[in-house]
Amino acid sequence: MTITNLTPRQQLASGRLPLRFFNLFAGLSLYALAMAMIIRAQLGVDPWDVLHLGIANHVPLSLGTIIILVGALVLLAWIPLRQWPGLGTIANTLYLGIALDFFLRFLPSINGLGWQILTLAVAILINGLGGALYIGSHFGPGPRDGLMTGLHLRTGLSLRLIRTALELSVLGIGWLLGGPVGLGTVAYAVLIGPATQLFVARTSVRLPEQHPSEVHP
């Protein structure tokens, strides 16, 4: 998928701000809803949430708070990589955890394998739509994606290799901490790319001017 790589100043100067801000927060809200649905489906979660839930087993904090704190720590890792957070990066770090706690408060656990699989499938589609709206708002990558691109720029290693290494690392640490790994973890890894690609061309906001972009495999 192709996303723009704008500085914070360029993000504000690129126009269509009301629509882009709407898409940014709509995307993050849908992303949080999908995360909550995947957790309630109880079939395993994506690698970063394996880490978050693993940490939640050992500290008296809400899952949303843990996501905010982990996101902030990841942003600190941007400093030696000379990465600059965008407006969407900050919104992702702060808002996603708040929205997730909200949805978890109201969504019940899903029981019955058929309902669990259906919930997981719908959640991955919703996650793909949310991710596409977020990407298409052109407000910068989330903290975890920015870490991946920063390491790529500094090391010269491929994005695919760095992403795989990062996700296997957080998955392993999360699993050792007791985070849930299962069918949902595998399904998310396989399907989230196609699900996001399905929506990104339809939801991306066309900017008035052309800007340099990066291509993420």
Side-chain angles (χ1 to χ4, degrees):
M1 67 189 69
T2 302
I3 60 174
T4 53
N5 183 27
L6 309 178
T7 67
R9 183 175 180 179
Q10 288 174 327
Q11 291 169 12
L12 289 175
S14 294
R16 309 194 72 180
L17 285 178
L19 175 60
R20 290 168 58 212
F21 273 117
F22 175 83
N23 283 9
L24 170 65
F25 285 98
L28 289 174
S29 297
L30 289 173
Y31 201 98
L33 172 61
M35 290 170 65
M37 292 173 65
I38 292 172
I39 291 168
R40 293 304 192 217
Q42 305 175 82
L43 292 175
V45 295
D46 73 272
W48 280 97
D49 281 340
V50 173
L51 175 64
H52 299 144
L53 287 162
I55 294 172
N57 289 331
H58 302 276
V59 297
L61 298 172
S62 73
L63 184 60
T65 301
I66 290 169
I67 288 174
I68 292 171
L69 293 176
V70 170
L73 288 173
V74 171
L75 280 182
L76 290 178
W78 284 32
I79 296 174
L81 299 174
R82 299 179 184 177
Q83 290 279 97
W84 287 95
L87 300 174
T89 312
I90 304 302
N92 184 307
T93 303
L94 298 176
Y95 178 76
L96 195 60
I98 296 170
L100 177 62
D101 277 348
F102 173 81
F103 288 120
L104 286 175
R105 189 173 297 118
F106 295 102
L107 284 177
S109 296
I110 308 299
N111 298 304
L113 184 59
W115 287 111
Q116 289 172 294
I117 293 174
L118 177 62
T119 300
L120 174 64
V122 172
I124 290 174
L125 281 174
I126 293 173
N127 196 309
L129 175 58
L133 284 166
Y134 174 86
I135 291 168
S137 67
H138 309 289
F139 280 120
R144 295 153 187 83
D145 285 340
L147 176 63
M148 175 184 67
T149 56
L151 287 169
H152 162 67
L153 291 172
R154 291 298 160 191
T155 66
L157 297 173
S158 72
L159 286 170
R160 193 179 303 276
L161 175 61
I162 292 171
R163 178 168 185 168
T164 300
L166 283 173
E167 298 210 351
L168 286 177
S169 297
V170 299
L171 176 64
I173 296 169
W175 178 73
L176 290 173
L177 292 172
V181 178
L183 170 66
T185 309
V186 177
Y188 186 93
V190 172
L191 298 175
I192 189 56
T196 305
Q197 191 66 45
L198 176 67
F199 295 109
V200 72
R202 297 172 175 85
T203 59
S204 183
V205 178
R206 186 180 297 276
L207 299 179
E209 299 178 3
Q210 296 294 320
H211 296 277
S213 61
E214 295 179 1
V215 177
H216 292 230

